Amino acid sequence: MAGNSIGQIFRVTTFGESHGVALGCIVDGVPPGLWLCENDLQIDLNRRRPGMSPYTSSRRESDQIRILSGIFEGKTTGSSIGLLIENKDARPQDYQSIKDLFRPGHADYTYQKKYGIRDYRGGGRASARETAMRVAAGAIAKKYLFEHFSIEIQGYLSQIGTICCEFKEKECIEANPFFCPDPHKVEEIAELICALKERGDSIGAKITIMAKNLPVGLGEPVFDRLDADLAHALMSINAVKGLEVGEGFSFVNKLGSESRDEMTSSGFSTNYSGGILGGISSGQPLLVHLALKPTSSIAIPAKTINQQGETVEMTTSGRHDPCVGIRAVPIAESMLAIVLMDHLLRHRAQCGHF
Amino acid sequence: MAGNSIGQIFRVTTFGESHGVALGCIVDGVPPGLWLCENDLQIDLNRRRPGMSPYTSSRRESDQIRILSGIFEGKTTGSSIGLLIENKDARPQDYQSIKDLFRPGHADYTYQKKYGIRDYRGGGRASARETAMRVAAGAIAKKYLFEHFSIEIQGYLSQIGTICCEFKEKECIEANPFFCPDPHKVEEIAELICALKERGDSIGAKITIMAKNLPVGLGEPVFDRLDADLAHALMSINAVKGLEVGEGFSFVNKLGSESRDEMTSSGFSTNYSGGILGGISSGQPLLVHLALKPTSSIAIPAKTINQQGETVEMTTSGRHDPCVGIRAVPIAESMLAIVLMDHLLRHRAQCGHF
Amino acid sequence: MAGNSIGQIFRVTTFGESHGVALGCIVDGVPPGLWLCENDLQIDLNRRRPGMSPYTSSRRESDQIRILSGIFEGKTTGSSIGLLIENKDARPQDYQSIKDLFRPGHADYTYQKKYGIRDYRGGGRASARETAMRVAAGAIAKKYLFEHFSIEIQGYLSQIGTICCEFKEKECIEANPFFCPDPHKVEEIAELICALKERGDSIGAKITIMAKNLPVGLGEPVFDRLDADLAHALMSINAVKGLEVGEGFSFVNKLGSESRDEMTSSGFSTNYSGGILGGISSGQPLLVHLALKPTSSIAIPAKTINQQGETVEMTTSGRHDPCVGIRAVPIAESMLAIVLMDHLLRHRAQCGHF
Amino acid sequence: MAGNSIGQIFRVTTFGESHGVALGCIVDGVPPGLWLCENDLQIDLNRRRPGMSPYTSSRRESDQIRILSGIFEGKTTGSSIGLLIENKDARPQDYQSIKDLFRPGHADYTYQKKYGIRDYRGGGRASARETAMRVAAGAIAKKYLFEHFSIEIQGYLSQIGTICCEFKEKECIEANPFFCPDPHKVEEIAELICALKERGDSIGAKITIMAKNLPVGLGEPVFDRLDADLAHALMSINAVKGLEVGEGFSFVNKLGSESRDEMTSSGFSTNYSGGILGGISSGQPLLVHLALKPTSSIAIPAKTINQQGETVEMTTSGRHDPCVGIRAVPIAESMLAIVLMDHLLRHRAQCGHF
């Protein structure tokens, strides 16, 4: 449906460019009667927004969300909800010098060839700034899922470069600017990021998202399996290049006899499958890992071509994250929430439970 | 849309259970004027069908496809195309003994909880037998893509257990029953499979699919990126638990300076991104890797529960593949073809090229 | 979605040409647990099928339906249901003589221009034969609506030529071949049809469809109002050229003070609005009227052009209905059932009732 | 898709309540490269907006549109276009007195029953104020259709009460506040409206919309026929209760021999069918008539019930149109434009012309 919408019943449609007037979103299909205010959305928006620490982009956007419709006397009415964030710290002039160049590793080249025109200011629609609206919409889903089903969604940084972060303390995740769950790795990550900033380089990352207290039964055979829809939603996040459910690529050299999640009367014995069986949630914790490539917007020169097709060397200036994987944590949580919300409503439609 | 459809303009909808009457499919949105006959579909169906070698399931299905509509005097008319395969070697009685048990690692438990009823005969709709229709529909897409754009799609087995298979000889792939591209690994794989069959065990696999000669410009920002739609389509294949585009998880500990695909006037210097930039095809070869878990249908007993929730031990009998990853190769190719076809038409709709 | 599908959650996709191999359908999103057998569908199919009386087309099709999937031990499983009817009395040779002509009033010309190719045998996909599958799918919806909500759907012939038929006796409708609800008009209609057959001419008709016991709340603002979705579904039936909800065109010269359906504690006082307020069902009986044009397939010669654009005179031979409005009654009922079913499930998804 | 979206490829999603903060819209799938500015939209918005003459609602809204995204250096980029109108003359306090009452003939009752909550201020989402965004989105479609295909869309008032207005002078339509095409009827209509205002009553209307220079081939068999999709779009406009294509209900007592549009080498001889054959545009002028009921918001008291179900008598105050049919003209034009635009792109997708 023209690309800027996601979801069948809980349906999110977004607009907005990095250095344009505003970002916006329409969330349709929200169940009526949910208490909802702007602050419910702002909390997650603040987790994502830049300029919050020296370790991410220095662009200063307050990302102040406005709810323009669909709420009456504090509750959702069932009508479509309009959301708006005005861009405050746009600097289109920063991009004048690259308007004829295709930044390597970016969407500049593909947008130009696809559309014959492109908003070169900070990548326009291809910028990760677009994801603010995913977070806003996801916060609505998160609230409903938690209040009605006690479903908890949590993401964290599980690897950056060669530093692996195990899930040690849930509290730790929000207590550092990297969403790192292991307090002993925080310092190390800070040093890595600082070193990268100094060198003008960037690095990849792996993040993990989990959902707990899922009911059994979410997901629709055969194409709209829960894992398939999650893959769609999560791979649509900028820079995501890989995805695993449960054991993922570890299954490649595993035997069937050591990979099945056996069951007993007290429940599943293991959770290799990451909470999904046959494309349908099993009630076990949902577990997904994402690989994010390092941003190509770095201070180290690279070869590229200009609009005339000539080879040139360029450096990407602007205010960029040394590791886009970090801020991807709240974005991935939001996409997960949107998919779960949609499937909850889809399941209720056909099967009538809940 | 209720789960059994995929694609927006080139749209595939399927039905059919493993041990039911028949499998069927409607392919809608096929451009008119394409020469098409049953044999065009049969070729790929034969690559997928069981009973073709001692290394896969011994179920003997001819998988004879019938085209029931949408063709006139040898060409597509633009009307919806109905496809049908009757099940010939169904053996529902094989499953009588497990009708009250939830096979571990299978969809039995989740289907039962979701729908309150389940066709326990060979997994019913959750069986990989369902994928025959994906292959039939994909063959239509493949033909159009090749004839109108010279787009070539090729999949192969890239790893099984610890045996890695490099892409050495395209011809080799179809010359062995494993879709292995390295002639020196064929024997080793055969031995592994035989050993597994003897032990009644199974194993995971990694497969790779490629597309060449793609035009620049396929994919729609922001949710329907080409990689996002591919992830959806490919993760919807039974047993797929992981997916990578280009370098995938290797990006996690790569630097931005070593990950960008630089460009010069003679084209891209590298293809780390796997042919997709900003969610849109770059014109480079498309490269996707999939991880498949080992089938849980094995002869080694495991613990599970029955419908009453009691712990029992069971063995899965039936005619199963020791490695479902092998036959996934033509299936993954087909899903790739369906997505590319849909995005070609979507691009033509909005942008008018092609 | 490529045109051959209808519905969002209860979703019907069809294929098949008038003189092709078979007609088929996939019904997706059916709630699990509904008792369903082929006879449930056959009853309505028989009401629609030709050759049942001397007053409709003499084509003899048994329209024997087969259910190919989605049922297990007599009940729906929640999986997609495949349906099939093989064409038995196709006579493609009847159309050889008109393969280069565009029958006036038919889709021959528009299909040719749209697709550059057309199945000229009896109109191919544009034939009303296609509607058999609507009736089959609608019968599933009807059964669910009646069993779970006591919703009753009834259509009847309300006018043919200048003969108006009031809704006098429900029993009368099925007791004559015209779906005429007034026993005193049956003879008159029979004479009209016989006279038309003799002259080789045809006539228009008006039909009415009703639904009783609808819950309040079906329909979604703002584009998917219940009346809007009904209009879509009903105008998609061959030959329908007009539609009214409730008083319809009579409202044009009515005052507001005489058009409002006032309410008192004992309910609505009138039902001018035909059971829909603001696009949402009000709980009153749903009332829709349709105008059908006379078929253009008649024995009286008319001017047209051939594929070369030259003027020619032609007569449409073949086995045609003198009044296509008659057999439209079960078709319109089915489309109404499909829309209501879809909106029931959509409502349940968002609002959780039912 | 949750009701607030229309179109498959050219896709419009809206939000906003009558007395809320703002109205908004996202238009997705717009072809890149179209020159577009706010004034292109404002022209049609001004034709629709209230307070422009003494004959419509006295609510004073400037309906100033802002384009928030999707345009770069004056042209569309292919990205989603965000549109916004802030409400300026909202008077929620006007509705305090009716917050517990269900206005007869309005959506108050059905919204309350459907959602369990309702924004009672001016009907909230059910208000015709919502249609401003249809007009804004339609203006984009209109511009593209005219610039690329010379397609002209024109609506007019064809009947109000018993006053029939024939299409005499195109120029006349925009020269009077009633969109009346017959200069000799303007005075009479003005008098009728004044008399109604004085009595506090309202009246129905019939409007006609036309499109010229349509290519042959728009519309998709079988469910998404052009007339079916038009019916959906047009019946979704507030107060529309009837629709005819071409001769519409006149066909009911016409013979086939007098209803066929014959063709000769110089084209069609007549246009009874209103420009659509078999659901596909024939290249003849498209002709659709709509019946609109009189608004129920009148100063004459009527019986209704309150939230407790008790019978009460009430009068609807507020600033209402004596004939909502008048301002429906630009709205209907816009919906027609949206449907044509979507079908042009859909046709281009599958068939590749244009």
Side-chain angles (χ1 to χ4, degrees):
Chain A
M1 302 287 192
N4 293 288
S5 295
I6 193 163
Q8 304 281 330
I9 295 179
F10 184 83
R11 187 157 179 87
V12 175
T13 305
T14 70
F15 69 81
E17 285 90 29
S18 185
H19 293 260
V21 182
L23 304 170
C25 178
I26 300 179
V27 187
D28 205 359
V30 182
L34 178 72
W35 289 102
L36 194 74
C37 68
E38 281 149 356
N39 197 46
D40 291 324
L41 283 60
Q42 201 65 52
I43 293 167
D44 268 329
L45 281 164
N46 290 347
R47 292 172 71 216
R48 190 213 72 97
R49 78 180 162 100
M52 299 294 279
S53 85
Y55 308 105
T56 58
S57 159
S58 61
R59 180 167 171 173
R60 301 195 83 69
E61 290 288 353
S62 60
D63 281 357
Q64 196 73 43
I65 192 89
R66 288 174 67 201
I67 299 180
L68 302 177
S69 70
I71 308 286
F72 186 63
E73 298 181 342
K75 284 184 178 173
T76 57
T77 61
S79 289
S80 47
I81 297 179
L83 302 175
L84 195 74
I85 291 174
E86 311 245 357
N87 282 330
K88 300 290 190 191
D89 192 22
R91 291 195 205 155
Q93 64 280 9
D94 281 12
Y95 297 89
Q96 270 301 108
S97 61
I98 59 155
K99 71 177 196 172
D100 287 326
L101 303 178
F102 300 124
R103 292 170 301 163
H106 275 282
D108 299 347
Y109 175 73
T110 50
Y111 270 61
Q112 183 68 41
K113 294 292 173 190
K114 181 177 183 69
Y115 296 118
I117 181 176
R118 104 193 122 97
D119 181 346
Y120 56 77
R121 302 166 305 172
R125 185 72 177 139
S127 163
R129 176 133 190 80
E130 159 267 316
T131 58
M133 278 302 155
R134 302 180 182 224
V135 172
I140 300 176
K142 267 187 179 179
K143 190 169 195 214
Y144 186 89
L145 293 171
F146 183 72
E147 294 195 356
H148 285 70
F149 296 92
S150 306
I151 295 173
E152 288 177 58
I153 290 172
Q154 179 69 60
Y156 61 87
L157 182 72
S158 38
Q159 188 178 342
I160 175 168
T162 54
I163 309 169
C164 294
C165 318
E166 272 177 75
F167 185 71
K168 294 215 168 143
E169 297 176 19
K170 189 176 182 313
E171 295 65 34
C172 177
I173 296 170
E174 305 296 324
N176 68 77
F178 313 114
F179 302 101
C180 168
D182 180 350
H184 300 99
K185 297 292 175 74
V186 174
E187 179 95 15
E188 202 179 337
I189 297 170
E191 280 163 15
L192 171 63
I193 303 264
C194 289
L196 286 166
K197 275 187 95 163
E198 213 158 293
R199 292 211 310 271
D201 212 339
S202 63
I203 198 145
K206 180 168 152 187
I207 66 175
T208 298
I209 42 172
M210 306 179 300
K212 284 197 293 190
N213 303 327
L214 278 188
V216 192
L218 303 188
E220 292 192 349
V222 298
F223 296 114
D224 293 353
R225 281 168 154 91
L226 186 57
D227 35 5
D229 277 2
L230 282 172
H232 172 255
L234 295 166
M235 289 293 292
S236 80
I237 300 172
N238 309 47
V240 174
K241 300 295 284 185
L243 177 140
E244 296 180 310
V245 177
E247 292 295 297
F249 280 89
S250 309
F251 279 124
V252 173
N253 57 13
K254 284 260 174 66
L255 295 171
S257 55
E258 58 189 6
S259 305
R260 304 177 283 188
D261 295 313
E262 299 188 40
M263 297 184 80
T264 70
S265 54
S266 44
F268 287 97
S269 311
T270 51
N271 187 15
Y272 301 131
S273 71
I276 298 178
L277 282 173
I280 298 173
S281 66
S282 67
Q284 293 211 83
L286 191 69
L287 212 68
V288 181
H289 309 286
L290 301 178
L292 289 104
K293 68 173 185 178
T295 182
S296 307
S297 297
I298 54 178
I300 297 167
K303 285 213 185 66
T304 191
I305 57 170
N306 60 19
Q307 298 244 43
Q308 289 71 44
E310 300 155 339
T311 308
V312 291
E313 200 172 80
M314 75 172 295
T315 302
T316 311
S317 64
R319 299 158 293 176
H320 304 288
D321 290 280
C323 177
V324 291
I326 293 172
R327 290 206 286 139
V329 169
I331 303 166
E333 286 177 9
S334 297
M335 296 310 293
L336 174 58
I338 290 169
V339 172
L340 291 178
M341 182 72 190
D342 191 40
H343 271 286
L344 263 167
L345 302 187
R346 291 170 73 166
H347 178 71
R348 185 155 73 183
Q350 189 182 6
C351 299
H353 317 155
F354 307 157
Chain B
M1 302 288 191
N4 293 288
S5 295
I6 193 164
Q8 303 281 330
I9 296 179
F10 183 83
R11 188 157 179 87
V12 175
T13 305
T14 71
F15 69 81
E17 286 89 29
S18 186
H19 292 262
V21 182
L23 304 169
C25 178
I26 300 178
V27 187
D28 205 359
V30 181
L34 177 73
W35 288 103
L36 193 74
C37 68
E38 281 149 355
N39 197 47
D40 291 323
L41 283 60
Q42 201 64 53
I43 292 167
D44 268 331
L45 281 164
N46 289 347
R47 293 171 71 216
R48 189 212 73 96
R49 79 182 162 98
M52 300 295 279
S53 85
Y55 308 104
T56 57
S57 159
S58 61
R59 181 167 171 175
R60 300 196 83 69
E61 289 288 351
S62 60
D63 280 357
Q64 195 74 44
I65 191 89
R66 287 174 68 201
I67 300 181
L68 302 177
S69 70
I71 309 286
F72 186 63
E73 298 180 342
K75 284 182 178 173
T76 57
T77 61
S79 289
S80 47
I81 297 179
L83 303 175
L84 195 75
I85 291 175
E86 312 246 357
N87 283 330
K88 300 289 189 190
D89 192 21
R91 291 196 205 153
Q93 64 282 8
D94 281 11
Y95 297 88
Q96 271 300 108
S97 61
I98 59 156
K99 70 178 195 170
D100 286 326
L101 302 179
F102 302 123
R103 294 170 299 162
H106 275 283
D108 299 347
Y109 175 73
T110 51
Y111 270 61
Q112 183 69 41
K113 294 292 173 189
K114 180 178 184 68
Y115 297 117
I117 181 176
R118 105 193 120 97
D119 181 345
Y120 55 75
R121 304 165 304 172
R125 184 72 179 140
S127 164
R129 177 134 189 80
E130 159 266 316
T131 59
M133 277 302 155
R134 304 179 181 225
V135 171
I140 300 176
K142 268 186 179 180
K143 191 171 195 213
Y144 187 88
L145 293 170
F146 184 70
E147 293 196 357
H148 285 70
F149 295 92
S150 306
I151 294 172
E152 288 177 59
I153 289 172
Q154 179 69 59
Y156 60 88
L157 181 72
S158 38
Q159 189 178 341
I160 175 167
T162 54
I163 309 170
C164 295
C165 318
E166 272 176 75
F167 185 71
K168 295 216 167 140
E169 295 176 21
K170 188 176 183 313
E171 295 65 35
C172 176
I173 296 170
E174 306 295 324
N176 69 77
F178 314 114
F179 302 101
C180 168
D182 180 349
H184 301 100
K185 299 291 176 71
V186 174
E187 179 95 16
E188 203 179 337
I189 297 170
E191 282 163 14
L192 172 63
I193 304 262
C194 290
L196 287 166
K197 277 187 92 162
E198 214 157 291
R199 292 211 308 272
D201 212 338
S202 64
I203 198 145
K206 181 168 151 187
I207 66 174
T208 299
I209 42 171
M210 306 180 299
K212 283 198 293 192
N213 304 326
L214 277 189
V216 192
L218 303 189
E220 293 192 348
V222 298
F223 297 114
D224 293 353
R225 283 167 152 90
L226 186 57
D227 34 5
D229 277 3
L230 282 172
H232 172 255
L234 294 167
M235 289 293 293
S236 79
I237 299 172
N238 309 47
V240 174
K241 300 295 281 186
L243 176 141
E244 296 180 309
V245 178
E247 293 294 298
F249 279 89
S250 307
F251 278 124
V252 172
N253 57 12
K254 283 261 172 67
L255 296 171
S257 54
E258 57 189 7
S259 305
R260 303 177 285 188
D261 296 313
E262 300 189 39
M263 296 183 81
T264 70
S265 54
S266 45
F268 286 97
S269 311
T270 51
N271 187 15
Y272 301 131
S273 73
I276 298 178
L277 282 172
I280 298 173
S281 66
S282 67
Q284 295 210 83
L286 191 70
L287 212 68
V288 182
H289 310 286
L290 301 178
L292 289 105
K293 69 173 185 178
T295 182
S296 308
S297 297
I298 54 179
I300 297 166
K303 285 211 184 67
T304 190
I305 58 170
N306 59 20
Q307 299 245 43
Q308 289 72 45
E310 301 154 337
T311 309
V312 291
E313 199 171 81
M314 74 172 296
T315 302
T316 312
S317 63
R319 300 158 292 176
H320 304 288
D321 291 279
C323 176
V324 290
I326 293 171
R327 289 205 287 138
V329 169
I331 303 166
E333 287 177 9
S334 296
M335 296 311 292
L336 174 58
I338 288 169
V339 172
L340 292 178
M341 184 71 190
D342 191 39
H343 272 286
L344 264 166
L345 301 187
R346 290 171 73 166
H347 178 70
R348 185 154 74 184
Q350 189 182 7
C351 299
H353 315 157
F354 308 156
Chain C
M1 301 288 192
N4 293 289
S5 293
I6 194 163
Q8 303 280 330
I9 295 178
F10 184 83
R11 188 156 179 87
V12 176
T13 305
T14 71
F15 70 81
E17 286 89 30
S18 185
H19 293 262
V21 182
L23 304 170
C25 179
I26 300 178
V27 187
D28 204 0
V30 181
L34 178 72
W35 288 103
L36 192 74
C37 68
E38 281 149 357
N39 196 47
D40 292 322
L41 283 59
Q42 201 64 52
I43 292 167
D44 268 330
L45 281 164
N46 290 347
R47 292 171 71 217
R48 190 213 72 96
R49 79 182 162 98
M52 299 295 278
S53 85
Y55 309 104
T56 57
S57 160
S58 60
R59 180 167 172 175
R60 300 196 82 71
E61 290 288 353
S62 60
D63 281 356
Q64 196 74 43
I65 192 88
R66 287 174 68 202
I67 300 180
L68 302 177
S69 69
I71 309 287
F72 186 64
E73 298 180 342
K75 285 184 177 172
T76 57
T77 60
S79 290
S80 47
I81 297 179
L83 302 175
L84 195 74
I85 291 175
E86 312 246 358
N87 283 329
K88 300 289 191 191
D89 193 20
R91 290 195 205 155
Q93 64 282 9
D94 281 11
Y95 297 89
Q96 270 300 107
S97 61
I98 60 155
K99 70 177 197 171
D100 287 326
L101 303 178
F102 301 124
R103 293 169 301 162
H106 275 283
D108 299 347
Y109 175 73
T110 51
Y111 268 62
Q112 183 68 42
K113 294 292 173 189
K114 181 178 184 69
Y115 297 117
I117 181 176
R118 106 194 119 95
D119 180 346
Y120 55 76
R121 302 165 305 170
R125 184 73 177 138
S127 164
R129 177 134 189 78
E130 158 265 317
T131 59
M133 278 302 156
R134 302 180 181 224
V135 171
I140 300 175
K142 267 186 178 179
K143 191 170 194 212
Y144 186 89
L145 293 171
F146 184 72
E147 293 195 357
H148 285 70
F149 296 91
S150 306
I151 294 173
E152 288 177 58
I153 290 172
Q154 179 69 60
Y156 60 87
L157 181 72
S158 39
Q159 190 178 341
I160 175 168
T162 54
I163 309 170
C164 294
C165 317
E166 274 176 72
F167 185 71
K168 295 214 167 141
E169 296 175 21
K170 188 175 181 316
E171 295 66 34
C172 177
I173 296 171
E174 306 295 323
N176 69 78
F178 314 113
F179 301 100
C180 169
D182 180 349
H184 301 100
K185 298 292 175 74
V186 174
E187 178 96 16
E188 203 179 336
I189 296 170
E191 282 163 14
L192 173 63
I193 303 263
C194 289
L196 286 166
K197 277 187 94 163
E198 212 158 292
R199 291 212 309 272
D201 212 339
S202 63
I203 198 145
K206 180 169 152 186
I207 66 174
T208 298
I209 42 171
M210 305 179 301
K212 284 198 292 191
N213 303 328
L214 278 188
V216 192
L218 303 189
E220 292 191 349
V222 299
F223 297 114
D224 292 353
R225 282 168 154 91
L226 185 57
D227 34 6
D229 277 2
L230 282 173
H232 173 255
L234 295 166
M235 289 293 292
S236 81
I237 300 171
N238 309 47
V240 174
K241 300 295 282 186
L243 176 140
E244 295 180 309
V245 177
E247 292 295 296
F249 280 90
S250 308
F251 278 124
V252 172
N253 58 12
K254 283 261 174 66
L255 295 171
S257 54
E258 59 188 7
S259 306
R260 303 178 283 189
D261 295 313
E262 300 189 38
M263 296 183 81
T264 69
S265 54
S266 44
F268 286 96
S269 311
T270 52
N271 186 15
Y272 301 132
S273 71
I276 298 178
L277 282 172
I280 298 173
S281 65
S282 67
Q284 294 211 82
L286 192 70
L287 213 66
V288 182
H289 310 286
L290 301 177
L292 289 106
K293 69 173 184 177
T295 182
S296 307
S297 296
I298 54 178
I300 297 166
K303 285 212 184 66
T304 191
I305 58 171
N306 59 20
Q307 299 244 43
Q308 289 71 45
E310 300 155 338
T311 308
V312 291
E313 200 171 81
M314 74 171 296
T315 301
T316 313
S317 64
R319 299 157 292 176
H320 304 288
D321 290 280
C323 177
V324 290
I326 293 171
R327 289 206 286 138
V329 168
I331 303 166
E333 287 178 9
S334 296
M335 296 310 294
L336 174 58
I338 289 169
V339 172
L340 292 178
M341 183 71 191
D342 191 40
H343 272 285
L344 264 167
L345 302 187
R346 290 170 74 166
H347 178 71
R348 185 156 73 184
Q350 189 182 8
C351 299
H353 316 156
F354 309 157
Chain D
M1 301 287 191
N4 294 287
S5 295
I6 193 164
Q8 303 280 331
I9 296 179
F10 184 83
R11 188 157 179 87
V12 175
T13 305
T14 71
F15 69 81
E17 286 89 28
S18 186
H19 293 261
V21 182
L23 304 170
C25 178
I26 301 179
V27 188
D28 205 359
V30 182
L34 178 72
W35 288 102
L36 193 73
C37 68
E38 281 150 355
N39 197 46
D40 291 323
L41 282 60
Q42 201 64 53
I43 292 168
D44 268 330
L45 281 165
N46 289 347
R47 293 172 71 217
R48 189 213 73 96
R49 78 181 162 100
M52 300 294 279
S53 85
Y55 309 104
T56 58
S57 160
S58 60
R59 180 166 171 175
R60 301 195 82 70
E61 290 287 353
S62 59
D63 281 357
Q64 197 73 43
I65 191 90
R66 287 174 68 201
I67 300 180
L68 302 177
S69 70
I71 309 286
F72 187 64
E73 298 181 343
K75 284 183 177 173
T76 57
T77 61
S79 289
S80 47
I81 297 179
L83 302 175
L84 196 74
I85 291 174
E86 312 245 358
N87 283 330
K88 300 290 189 189
D89 192 21
R91 291 196 205 154
Q93 65 282 8
D94 282 11
Y95 296 89
Q96 271 300 108
S97 62
I98 59 157
K99 70 177 197 170
D100 286 328
L101 303 179
F102 301 124
R103 294 169 301 162
H106 275 283
D108 299 347
Y109 175 74
T110 50
Y111 270 61
Q112 183 69 42
K113 294 292 173 189
K114 182 178 183 67
Y115 297 117
I117 181 177
R118 104 193 120 97
D119 180 346
Y120 55 76
R121 303 165 304 170
R125 184 74 179 138
S127 164
R129 177 132 191 80
E130 159 266 316
T131 59
M133 277 303 155
R134 303 180 181 223
V135 171
I140 300 175
K142 268 187 178 179
K143 191 169 195 215
Y144 186 88
L145 292 171
F146 184 71
E147 292 195 358
H148 285 70
F149 296 92
S150 306
I151 294 173
E152 288 177 57
I153 289 171
Q154 179 69 61
Y156 61 88
L157 181 72
S158 40
Q159 189 178 341
I160 174 168
T162 56
I163 308 170
C164 294
C165 317
E166 273 178 72
F167 186 69
K168 293 215 167 141
E169 296 175 20
K170 188 176 183 315
E171 294 66 35
C172 176
I173 296 169
E174 305 296 324
N176 68 77
F178 313 114
F179 301 100
C180 169
D182 180 350
H184 300 100
K185 299 292 176 71
V186 175
E187 179 94 17
E188 203 178 336
I189 297 170
E191 282 162 14
L192 172 63
I193 304 265
C194 290
L196 287 166
K197 278 186 92 163
E198 212 157 293
R199 292 211 309 271
D201 212 338
S202 64
I203 198 146
K206 181 170 151 186
I207 66 174
T208 298
I209 43 170
M210 305 179 301
K212 284 198 294 191
N213 303 328
L214 278 188
V216 193
L218 303 188
E220 292 192 349
V222 300
F223 297 114
D224 292 353
R225 283 169 153 90
L226 185 58
D227 34 6
D229 276 3
L230 282 172
H232 172 255
L234 294 166
M235 290 292 292
S236 80
I237 300 172
N238 310 46
V240 173
K241 300 295 282 187
L243 176 140
E244 296 181 310
V245 178
E247 292 295 297
F249 280 89
S250 307
F251 278 124
V252 172
N253 58 13
K254 284 260 173 67
L255 296 171
S257 55
E258 58 190 7
S259 305
R260 304 178 283 188
D261 296 312
E262 300 189 38
M263 296 184 81
T264 69
S265 53
S266 43
F268 286 97
S269 309
T270 52
N271 187 14
Y272 301 131
S273 72
I276 298 178
L277 283 172
I280 298 173
S281 65
S282 67
Q284 294 211 84
L286 192 70
L287 213 67
V288 181
H289 309 286
L290 302 177
L292 289 105
K293 69 173 184 177
T295 181
S296 307
S297 297
I298 55 179
I300 298 166
K303 284 210 185 69
T304 191
I305 57 169
N306 59 20
Q307 298 244 44
Q308 290 71 45
E310 301 155 338
T311 308
V312 292
E313 199 172 80
M314 75 171 297
T315 302
T316 313
S317 63
R319 300 158 292 177
H320 303 289
D321 290 280
C323 176
V324 291
I326 293 170
R327 289 206 287 139
V329 168
I331 303 166
E333 287 177 9
S334 297
M335 296 311 292
L336 174 57
I338 289 168
V339 172
L340 291 178
M341 183 72 190
D342 191 40
H343 271 286
L344 263 167
L345 301 187
R346 290 170 73 166
H347 178 70
R348 186 155 73 184
Q350 189 182 7
C351 298
H353 315 156
F354 309 157

